[in-house]
């Protein structure tokens, strides 16, 4: 039965943080176990089944509240929000009203195709909260009515007494009541790479989340020991739940490309309407028929709008996604591949991203030797080097005894799968010691019988296991070097125990400090043969120790990470390390990777600095440690002030809000949690930071190609406008009918534009600084170029038409129709590069474009000679001489472009 505090509990506990009486709940970590149980109305027997059921009704299931997802219909309809799409739908309606249903049908086919493509890419997005829900454990062991029972984790309620065992996920936020060697992996929540030691007892107010040693949190994992705790928060009130709520409040940022396309669509829409209205007005003043002017207005609207632009952008991005996948970048959102190319800042986690997340012993220091240990990860492959020379540790008594001690005073085990893959069962730090011993050929197969143990905790900072050996009991101890030194009276030197002098003690402490400042986690070892009559208590056994030495343990950087950071620097991309780990460790890793930073900022520094001061510090300080999810969001907001395009990498639950907030969130594919993956725009399949650089290169290529075919399409459309408006002003018949304009746009917006989207990256693509996200696709220079080329195409078309219309109108239109397509096919070669002539980029370097040009010509021949197409498009047969004339007229378009680019390159070289 519950204790008398139940009634008080019913007044105090609530769903959102303030009880019914208005008094806030206490900070649970500041209370003693007795105070926690009293507040929650529970005792050693736990809750009764009846009370647990009542609380479940009152507070709901221990589950995360799901964010409402869009329906398939909503996602599909959202594809029609583009301004260009809206104008196309209007143009289709007008075409139908004026008796041109074939034009309307063709336009609508393009619109629907674009919507289907966009829908297929977006429907899998938005699952972050579902993944968070899956992270909660499915089963939990609780004590109710005095007996243990296994229940579904969703029915755990505040006040439940929960039993924790090694390997289990924590079902709710718990206040620790009992703990025996209890260690919990909190990396997914706090970013801390080392398991956290847990023990009961109150902590001071203001203790950071990562330092709350008397609490365990939902979704984390017990990696060592056992314990009991009382549930103080469930569901959305847990730390997991707070992050879930934070993720729901974060809105996805619009990508630079989407913003630029919206601006372009708006501008094109205004121009289309303006030109159409002006042309109709001029025609009516010329006393032309109203129906003819409607046809001209529709023709101009169709000519101005690049119908295929949305579809070609979508297809180009989709093709880019496949290319990204080949480079180990799994793109989850269509526009993310292009956005990656605009990234100017990468905020990256350390553990598992820049490092391997595999603790490794790299140095062992004994009183008479210092050995470097080679090999990384958990594979038991490596050597011990003394003065650069490989040695057998068994030949050095001090080194051999140290390795045997850390192996025996250890609960971790090493296992291989027979295919070269190794893993550790236990804590990463203990696993690193087991691997180091295995490299020396040691194992626990012949270990003596264990006779007792004194477990590690954050207060004792040491662990002891007693073994029965032939000559009597021996205590093997490992822990913080400074703690072992204080409890040692002797040191193992040159094969025997000698007195530990004050001078030697100081030199050992100095060396320990040197290891720690180098970013190494330092762990010492000692031993003691135990007299038979010595009481077996921790205080008596762990005294008069013989100090053996210490090991420097490192989470090694990924071998390719340093080169990746160098490439980011050459590409003008700033890298900021954001981690929950120790600042000294983080700074040392940054230094080893070549990431320049003026020291490191911790979470408390971030809270103390005003936004302006933090913005200034972030310009030179690139290492941020001990940060929370809120800190990461604030950093992203501040970095965004300077119009930076921010990529955020992460693998833990605590990274989810920032992954969603950043312009592009990048999750780790192997070590990343489901939460991180579902909150991201991109997943690194190989967890390789270098893959981000490859993705940036691909993203830059994509944007360059989108800019290429956008400008090409607009130059082509300007040619159509000049031809139509020029004919109108000259009093000529309609130069091109709407169906012919639509066909031209299908050819140029389709085959050739899409092939232009496959253009290889220019050689210096990763030596350029990131583009300004505020810079429009149509710069002043680009607009001038497309205006000149477009006017040239239009005037050529008008010249061809004006010489023939008075003889044969159908043949004149066919010549103008075919001529404009040929001129545009010449023109597409100009847009393969804005800077380099064809001989520099290689005429055959994009064979798909050459095939598209030939295919477009073949299709045009079909519509000129096949009767059904002649009826639909109003064409008439042409002679071979006609085709030859059109080819000769278009050739100067290409030659002029090549001359311009050659002069531009020469000028750039001379200026350089």
């Amino acid at each position: 039965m519950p204790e008398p505090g139940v009634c008080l509990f019913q007044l105090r506990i609530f769903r959102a943080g303030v009880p019914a009486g208005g008094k806030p709940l206490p900070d649970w970590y500041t209370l003693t176990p007795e105070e926690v149980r009293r507040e929650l109305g529970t005792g050693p027997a736990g809750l009764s089944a009846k009370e647990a059921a009542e609380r479940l009704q009152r507070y709901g299931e221990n589950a995360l509240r799901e964010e409402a997802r869009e329906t398939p219909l909503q996602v599909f309809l959202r594809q029609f929000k583009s301004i260009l799409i809206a104008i196309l739908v209007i143009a289709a309606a007008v075409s139908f009203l004026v008796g041109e249903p074939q034009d309307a049908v063709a336009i609508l086919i393009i619109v629907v195709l674009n919507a289907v493509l966009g829908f297929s890419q977006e429907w899998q997005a938005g699952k972050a909260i579902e993944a968070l829900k899956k992270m909660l454990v499915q089963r939990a062991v609780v004590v109710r009515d005095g007996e243990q029972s296994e229940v579904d984790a969703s029915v755990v309620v505040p006040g439940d007494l929960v039993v924790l065992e090694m390997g289990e996920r924590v079902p709710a936020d718990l206040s620790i009541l009992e703990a025996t060697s209890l260690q919990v992996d909190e990396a997914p929540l706090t970013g801390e790479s080392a398991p956290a030691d847990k023990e009961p007892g109150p902590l001071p107010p203001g203790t950071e989340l990562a330092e709350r040693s008397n609490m365990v949190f939902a979704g984390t994992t017990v990696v060592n020991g056992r314990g009991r705790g009382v549930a103080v928060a469930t569901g959305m009130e847990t730390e997991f739940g707070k992050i879930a709520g934070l993720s729901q409040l974060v809105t996805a940022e619009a990508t630079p490309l989407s913003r630029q396309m919206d601006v372009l669509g708006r501008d094109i829409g205004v121009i289309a309407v303006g030109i159409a209205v002006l042309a109709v007005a001029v025609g009516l003043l010329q006393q032309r028929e109203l129906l003819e002017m409607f046809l001209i207005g529709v023709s101009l609207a169709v000519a101005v709008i690049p119908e295929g632009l949305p579809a070609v952008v979508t297809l180009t991005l989709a093709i880019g996604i496949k290319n990204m996948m080949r480079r180990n970048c799994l793109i989850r959102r269509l526009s993310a591949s292009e956005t990656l190319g605009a990234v100017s800042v990468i905020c990256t986690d350390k553990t598992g991203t820049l490092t391997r997340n595999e603790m490794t012993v790299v140095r062992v220091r004994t009183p008479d030797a210092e050995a470097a240990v080679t090999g990384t990860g958990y594979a038991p492959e490596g050597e011990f080097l003394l003065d650069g020379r490989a040695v057998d540790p068994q030949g050095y008594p001090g080194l051999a005894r140290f390795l045997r001690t850390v192996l025996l005073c250890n609960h971790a085990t090493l296992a291989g799968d027979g295919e070269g893959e190794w893993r550790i069962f236990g804590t990463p730090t203990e696993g690193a010691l087991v691997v180091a011993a295995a490299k020396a050929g040691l194992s626990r197969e012949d270990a003596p019988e264990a006779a007792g143990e004194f477990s590690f905790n954050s207060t004792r900072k040491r662990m002891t296991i007693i073994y029965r050996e032939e000559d009597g009991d021996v205590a093997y101890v490992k822990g913080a070097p400074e703690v072992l030194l204080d409890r040692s009276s002797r040191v193992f030197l040159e094969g025997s125990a000698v007195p530990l002098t004050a001078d030697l003690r100081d030199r050992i402490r100095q060396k320990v400090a040197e290891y720690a400042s180098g970013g190494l986690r330092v762990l010492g070892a000692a031993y003691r043969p135990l007299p038979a009559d010595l009481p077996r208590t921790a205080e008596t056994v762990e005294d008069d120790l013989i100090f053996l030495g210490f090991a420097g343990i490192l989470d090694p950087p990924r071998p390719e990470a340093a080169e990746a950071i160098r490439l980011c620097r050459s590409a003008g991309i700033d890298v900021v390390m954001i981690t929950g780990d120790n600042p000294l460790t983080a700074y040392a890793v940054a230094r080893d990777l070549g990431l320049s930073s003026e020291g490191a900022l911790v979470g408390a520094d971030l809270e103390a600095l005003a936004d302006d001061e933090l913005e200034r510090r972030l310009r030179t300080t690139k290492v941020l440690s001990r940060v929370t999810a809120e800190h990461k969001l604030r950093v992203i907001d501040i970095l965004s002030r300077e119009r930076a395009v921010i990529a955020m990498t992460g693998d833990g639950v605590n990274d989810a809000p920032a992954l969603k907030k950043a312009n592009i969130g990048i999750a780790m594919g192997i070590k990343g949690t489901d939460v991180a993956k579902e909150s991201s725009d991109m997943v690194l399949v190989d967890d390789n930071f270098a893959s981000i650089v490859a993705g940036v290169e691909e993203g830059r290529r994509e944007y360059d190609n989108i800019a290429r075919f956008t400008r090409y399409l607009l130059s082509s459309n300007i040619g159509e406008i000049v031809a139509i408006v020029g004919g109108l002003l000259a009093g000529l018949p309609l130069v091109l009918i709407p169906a012919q304009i639509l066909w031209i746009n299908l050819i140029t917006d389709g085959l050739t534009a899409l092939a232009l989207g496959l253009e290889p990256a220019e050689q210096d693509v990763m030596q350029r600084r990131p583009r300004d996200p505020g810079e429009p696709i149509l710069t002043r220079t680009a607009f001038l170029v497309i205006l000149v080329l477009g006017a040239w195409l239009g005037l050529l078309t008008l010249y061809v038409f004006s010489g023939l219309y008075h003889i044969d109108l159908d043949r004149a239109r066919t010549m103008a129709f075919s001529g404009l397509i040929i001129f545009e096919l010449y023109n597409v070669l100009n847009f393969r590069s804005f800077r380099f002539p064809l001989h520099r980029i290689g005429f055959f370097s994009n064979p798909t474009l050459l095939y598209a040009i030939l295919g477009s010509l073949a299709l045009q021949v079909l519509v000129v000679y096949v009767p059904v197409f002649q009826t639909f498009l109003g064409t008439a047969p042409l002679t071979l001489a006609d085709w030859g004339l059109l080819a000769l007229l278009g050739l100067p378009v290409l030659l002029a472009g090549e001359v311009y680019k050659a002069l531009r390159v020469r000028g750039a070289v001379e200026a350089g």
Side-chain angles (χ1 to χ4, degrees), residues 403-747:
L403 293 171
R404 184 171 186 268
T405 297
V406 296
L407 175 64
L408 293 179
C409 187
N410 202 310
H411 290 301
T413 57
L414 175 66
D417 62 2
E419 299 180 358
E421 294 294 327
W422 296 84
R423 61 176 299 188
I424 284 293
F425 295 93
T427 68
T429 301
E430 287 201 328
L433 297 171
V434 171
V435 173
K439 291 176 181 178
L442 300 177
S443 72
R444 285 200 291 262
E445 292 181 358
D446 58 349
E449 178 187 356
E453 176 180 341
F454 304 111
S455 299
F456 182 95
N457 63 45
S458 58
T459 301
R460 288 166 33 79
K461 295 185 178 180
R462 61 188 183 273
M463 169 186 178
T464 299
I465 299 181
I466 302 171
Y467 286 92
R468 289 199 171 98
E469 301 200 4
E470 294 180 0
D471 298 331
D473 290 356
V474 179
Y476 294 97
V477 190
K478 75 174 188 295
E482 61 274 15
V483 173
L484 300 190
L485 280 171
D486 289 342
R487 306 188 73 85
S488 296
S489 60
R490 291 167 291 171
V491 63
F492 194 79
L493 184 63
E494 297 180 354
S496 62
V498 301
L500 179 57
T501 65
D503 179 63
L504 182 54
R505 193 187 303 269
D506 289 341
R507 280 190 281 132
I508 292 174
R509 284 175 172 159
Q510 183 178 359
K511 196 66 178 179
V512 168
E514 181 183 319
Y515 274 34
S517 63
L520 299 180
R521 193 180 302 276
V522 188
L523 193 142
Y527 79 105
R528 180 188 180 186
L530 300 176
D533 59 350
L534 183 73
R536 297 304 196 257
T537 66
E539 285 302 314
T540 57
V541 169
E542 297 170 341
D543 193 22
D544 193 25
L545 299 176
I546 303 171
F547 189 78
L548 292 171
F550 52 90
I553 304 173
L554 176 70
D555 182 7
R558 290 182 173 274
E560 60 281 339
E563 175 63 13
I565 288 178
R566 188 194 66 78
L567 289 174
C568 285
R569 191 162 53 245
S570 71
I573 299 171
D574 206 8
V575 179
V576 180
M577 180 192 294
I578 302 181
T579 177
D581 212 342
N582 181 280
L584 283 177
T585 302
Y587 183 74
V589 171
R591 181 190 59 215
D592 292 343
L593 292 175
L595 179 58
S596 178
S597 176
E598 291 185 2
L601 292 173
V602 299
D605 297 329
L606 299 183
E607 293 175 0
L609 292 173
D611 285 353
D612 291 341
E613 177 63 16
L614 180 56
E615 181 180 3
R616 187 186 65 79
R617 291 288 299 275
L618 287 175
R619 293 171 185 166
T620 54
T621 303
K622 306 301 180 183
V623 177
L624 311 179
S625 64
R626 300 294 193 201
V627 296
T628 65
E630 291 84 356
H631 293 151
K632 294 177 183 180
L633 291 176
R634 184 183 174 210
V635 167
I636 290 175
D637 284 335
I638 289 174
L639 291 174
S640 299
R641 287 182 171 187
E642 297 182 356
R643 295 201 303 181
V645 178
I646 301 169
M648 167 72 188
T649 71
D651 55 10
V653 176
N654 61 323
D655 294 323
L659 288 173
K660 191 174 180 182
K661 176 68 174 177
N663 299 98
I664 177 166
I666 305 173
M668 301 299 109
I670 298 174
K671 298 185 183 297
T673 61
D674 287 343
V675 181
K677 294 172 186 176
E678 296 297 344
S679 298
S680 66
D681 304 287
M682 185 181 94
V683 177
L684 288 183
V685 176
D686 60 353
D687 282 15
N688 192 335
F689 187 82
S691 295
I692 299 177
V693 180
V696 168
E697 180 180 356
E698 179 63 26
R700 290 187 174 189
R701 184 194 69 83
E702 282 186 28
Y703 179 80
D704 286 348
N705 288 346
I706 290 173
R708 287 183 180 107
F709 65 63
T710 300
R711 298 173 186 183
Y712 160 64
L713 294 180
L714 293 176
S715 71
S716 299
N717 288 12
I718 287 175
E720 298 163 20
I721 295 169
V722 169
I724 295 172
V725 174
L728 176 66
L729 295 177
L732 302 177
L734 190 58
V735 176
L736 298 167
I737 63 174
Q740 290 174 340
I741 297 173
L742 188 58
W743 176 260
I744 293 172
N745 288 353
L746 284 173
I747 293 294

Side-chain angles (χ1 to χ4, degrees), residues 570-572 700 704 762 764-770 835:
S570 71
R700 290 187 174 189
D704 286 348
E762 294 181 345
D764 65 345
V765 68
M766 290 302 289
Q767 277 68 56
R768 308 194 313 241
R769 292 195 60 79
R835 300 182 297 155

Side-chain angles (χ1 to χ4, degrees), residues 6 29 74 102 159 220 305 319 358 491 597 635 650 710 735 741 752 758 794:
V6 170
Y29 64 89
Q74 288 174 320
Q102 66 272 26
T220 59
I305 301 169
I319 293 170
E358 296 177 345
V491 63
S597 176
V635 167
T710 300
V735 176
I741 297 173
T752 52
L758 300 176

